[in-house]
Amino acid sequence: MSSFRGTTIPVYPKLGEKVTQDTLYWKDFKTPIQIKEFGAITNLDFSPVAPHNFAVTAFTRIHIYGPFSQEPVKTFTKFKDNAYCGRFRSDGQLLVAGCEDSVVRLFDVGGKVALRMFKGHTKAVHVTDFTSDQYKILTGSDDYTCRLWDIPNSTELLSYKEHTDYIRCGIASKLNGNLFLTGSYDHTLKLFDTRTDKSVLSMDHGQPVESLLLYPSEGLVVSAGGRYVKVWDLLKAGQPLVSLKHHHKTVTCLCLSSNGQRLLSGSLDRHIKVYNTTTYKVVHNFDYAASILSLALAPNDESIVVGMTNGILSIKQRKCPEDSKKDIGQRRQRPSRSVFVKGKNYAPKQDDYLVSKPVKEHLAKYDKQLKKFNVSKALDTALETFLRTRKPEITVAVIKELDRRGKLKNALAGRDEQGLSRLLSFLIGHLVDQRFAPVLVTAADMILDIYRSTIGQSPVIDRQLLRLQDLLEREIDYQQDLLEVLGMLDTMFACSLTKKEVPSSIFPISNNICIIDR
């Protein structure tokens, strides 16, 4: 007598994330390192020179971290109030930052005391940057003005007051020392030329502008504000090219990958979106635990650093080949398959005695009931809450096995109101699923035949039968609509095919009658 075989549970296809080159590239990071700062992290900036330290602006201080350090290697605390926008110069030797007290401070990265203090603004300074010639500083303030300062003489060179609200972002050109851009809460971003006394270009973002980003060629500029990320063509007088709306809350920061082919945007909705700069489609997504205020990528995308409103600094380092080899070595330490199958193919000799060990069967609850021919209890076990909600394929497999044995009708019959209600709930939830429909339609047909005479005796069962009827009617309507659409598409495809001329031929037939084939 052959041993009992358990119910075969088919493996149904699951819709998962499509694996692309971007997915592999942006997922190739180690477990993130999280560091608690003293307040919300408003700005992050990487030094352009090796070893590419990065400055973290949070609360009343600026910390400088090394690429692999979890403790700051340098700290600047000479701020009376909240510090803003700590940025490195292109040579990595100087760092500039604004403050809530309206004073702009210039620091030597190797020192502690501020080298210069620029006073002139009357409100908080949220924007600072160095010009391309390294001897001037751009600042933007809540007093609606943007100013240009001379570093050697600590004097103000120019001042523009064209915005009508707070200036919260700005960037200086790295190719032309006379150009810089500012973004304001008055919904505009303006391009200034220091050789003129007013802005040379103005663009309306439509929302308070939170962040600006220039492409390496500086022909395109990206603005972020509200839920929108917009791309503008500066070479065509600020013509808007693309408007992206993939975030659910305000977009706060922008960043560009090292090769310029991927654009990253961070938002208060706790997501970072990665866009392809050719098609501007989202190619990857990062999720974080809190709202995102700042974002920065290291050169060559070796690490991604994110600052959040709860003061958490998240650092993700890219995996190196040594880490991959280490992981492989750890996996090799585990017992291989050969350890478990050792001796399986041993050929016994003539004088050997083979002592066989009985194999213990491990059957599921429903299989144990099937083995005892308790078909009704087997179906009850498969309809338990965990199986029917989390693993419906097991319930369907048991129903299919009962139908194969010809015992499905016996398992469905003789049920009380609670048992029948549980069965109808499962049918309502999965009957229209194309994976389960061939099996469940047969079961539904049997239920209607068995319990037809009891309709009207239970309000609960009657309501479920009406829901099942409505579900089937809607599904039939959907199928009919799809068939009509399919017919329309077939007609359109047939009409769109190129017509080919077939040469005519004449086939003679008796009685001087001929058929012309075209």
Side-chain angles (χ1 to χ4, degrees):
M1 182 177 178
S2 60
S3 60
F4 177 83
R5 292 184 180 181
T7 305
T8 303
I9 309 300
V11 179
Y12 294 99
K14 295 181 180 179
L15 296 177
E17 180 184 8
K18 185 178 180 181
V19 179
T20 62
Q21 291 297 326
D22 282 285
T23 305
L24 299 175
Y25 184 79
W26 294 106
K27 278 193 172 183
D28 190 26
F29 289 95
K30 302 177 186 177
T31 304
I33 300 170
Q34 294 189 345
I35 302 172
K36 178 65 177 176
E37 290 289 341
F38 292 93
I41 301 169
T42 56
N43 191 79
L44 296 167
D45 188 54
F46 271 93
S47 173
V49 298
H52 303 298
N53 297 339
F54 59 92
V56 179
T57 308
F59 194 44
T60 61
R61 61 193 67 197
I62 297 177
H63 290 310
I64 297 181
Y65 290 88
F68 301 103
S69 65
Q70 298 185 25
E71 295 291 335
V73 297
K74 191 78 177 178
T75 301
F76 298 105
T77 59
K78 303 298 182 180
F79 297 94
K80 296 180 180 179
D81 210 330
N82 288 343
Y84 299 113
C85 200
R87 287 188 179 176
F88 286 100
R89 197 167 70 171
S90 58
D91 58 4
Q93 297 180 1
L94 297 180
L95 183 139
V96 65
C99 183
E100 189 72 30
D101 63 3
S102 75
V103 178
V104 181
R105 292 171 173 82
L106 181 68
F107 297 93
D108 183 353
V109 174
K112 294 183 179 181
V113 183
L115 296 178
R116 298 281 190 277
M117 296 178 67
F118 304 93
K119 299 179 180 180
H121 286 290
T122 57
K123 291 186 179 180
V125 179
H126 285 263
V127 179
T128 60
D129 198 9
F130 290 95
T131 59
S132 60
D133 59 10
Q134 301 184 358
Y135 297 112
K136 299 182 185 68
I137 292 175
L138 163 68
T139 61
S141 170
D142 286 353
D143 60 8
Y144 309 165
T145 65
C146 55
R147 304 173 190 239
L148 206 64
W149 308 82
D150 182 66
I151 295 177
N153 299 319
S154 301
T155 57
E156 179 183 317
L157 298 177
L158 293 169
S159 177
Y160 297 94
K161 190 175 181 180
E162 294 193 20
H163 288 291
T164 58
D165 209 332
Y166 300 154
I167 299 175
R168 290 297 173 89
C169 56
I171 187 170
S173 169
K174 299 297 183 276
L175 301 179
N176 190 331
N178 298 313
L179 299 178
F180 63 88
L181 278 155
T182 58
S184 169
Y185 277 8
D186 62 6
H187 300 187
T188 63
L189 50 151
K190 295 181 181 291
L191 175 66
F192 292 91
D193 190 333
T194 58
R195 294 165 293 190
T196 62
D197 57 355
K198 61 179 182 180
S199 63
V200 295
L201 193 60
S202 180
M203 293 151 279
D204 186 7
H205 182 83
Q207 300 285 337
V209 184
E210 299 283 352
S211 182
L212 291 177
L213 176 68
L214 271 172
Y215 274 65
S217 64
E218 299 192 356
L220 301 178
V221 60
V222 187
S223 62
R227 296 170 56 191
Y228 294 89
V229 175
K230 297 186 178 182
V231 183
W232 312 83
D233 191 344
L234 297 180
L235 301 181
K236 294 185 178 180
Q239 176 182 341
L241 296 181
V242 182
S243 179
L244 308 172
K245 189 181 178 182
H246 295 283
H247 288 283
H248 304 296
K249 293 184 180 180
T250 300
V251 184
T252 56
C253 48
L254 298 169
C255 186
L256 205 62
S257 64
S258 57
N259 58 9
Q261 297 180 1
R262 296 295 180 266
L263 172 68
L264 286 76
S265 64
S267 168
L268 296 179
D269 62 6
R270 302 183 294 107
H271 295 293
I272 291 179
K273 305 288 184 181
V274 183
Y275 306 91
N276 185 326
T277 54
T278 303
T279 61
Y280 288 102
K281 293 183 178 180
V282 177
V283 295
H284 194 67
N285 180 70
F286 292 99
D287 297 331
Y288 286 86
S291 299
I292 298 169
L293 285 181
S294 51
L295 164 69
L297 268 176
N300 299 323
D301 304 336
E302 290 300 321
S303 61
I304 178 171
V305 185
V306 174
M308 292 172 267
T309 54
N310 60 357
I312 296 296
L313 177 69
S314 174
I315 306 172
K316 289 184 178 180
Q317 301 283 352
R318 188 171 293 280
K319 295 178 181 178
C320 55
E322 288 77 9
D323 295 329
S324 301
K325 293 179 180 178
K326 184 177 179 181
D327 294 339
I328 294 174
Q330 291 177 350
R331 288 197 296 269
R332 285 178 179 173
Q333 291 176 2
R334 301 174 183 175
S336 61
R337 181 177 178 274
S338 60
V339 175
F340 299 100
V341 300
K342 186 176 181 180
K344 291 279 186 178
N345 299 324
Y346 176 74
K349 299 178 181 178
Q350 185 176 2
D351 298 331
D352 289 345
Y353 292 95
L354 178 62
V355 180
S356 60
K357 184 179 179 181
V359 180
K360 186 177 180 179
E361 293 182 352
H362 296 279
L363 297 176
K365 292 181 180 180
Y366 50 84
D367 281 331
K368 292 179 181 179
Q369 299 296 339
L370 286 175
K371 188 176 180 179
K372 298 176 182 178
F373 302 101
N374 295 330
V375 293
S376 183
K377 291 183 179 180
L379 184 56
D380 289 338
T381 306
L383 286 170
E384 290 179 353
T385 304
F386 176 78
L387 292 181
R388 75 170 188 267
T389 56
R390 299 292 183 87
K391 297 183 178 180
E393 63 273 8
I394 293 179
T395 307
V396 174
V398 172
I399 294 175
K400 185 177 181 180
E401 176 65 17
L402 291 171
D403 188 32
R404 185 188 69 82
R405 296 184 177 199
K407 300 296 182 180
L408 180 57
K409 200 164 188 178
N410 296 343
L412 296 173
R415 295 187 169 270
D416 56 8
E417 182 181 3
Q418 184 179 0
L420 183 58
S421 176
R422 189 186 303 117
L423 187 56
L424 288 173
S425 297
F426 181 77
L427 290 176
I428 292 170
H430 301 90
L431 184 62
V432 296
D433 192 326
Q434 61 178 358
R435 300 174 300 170
F436 308 143
V439 177
L440 297 184
V441 166
T442 303
D445 190 26
M446 289 185 181
I447 289 175
L448 293 177
D449 287 341
I450 296 170
Y451 297 98
R452 182 178 300 173
S453 60
T454 62
I455 294 176
Q457 298 180 11
S458 171
V460 176
I461 300 301
D462 292 344
R463 283 196 298 269
Q464 288 182 318
L465 289 175
L466 289 175
R467 286 181 59 191
L468 184 60
Q469 181 182 0
D470 294 340
L471 181 67
L472 291 175
E473 288 177 354
R474 279 191 276 113
E475 185 67 19
I476 292 172
D477 292 339
Y478 293 153
Q479 296 290 342
Q480 290 177 348
D481 293 341
L482 288 174
L483 287 175
E484 292 177 2
V485 173
L486 184 61
M488 297 176 190
L489 292 175
D490 289 340
T491 304
M492 294 173 60
F493 292 150
C495 295
S496 63
L497 294 176
T498 56
K499 296 181 180 180
K500 296 182 179 180
E501 295 184 358
V502 180
S504 60
S505 57
I506 301 177
F507 301 97
I509 302 181
S510 59
N511 298 328
N512 297 326
I513 299 176
C514 66
I515 295 177
I516 301 177
D517 182 20
R518 293 187 180 275

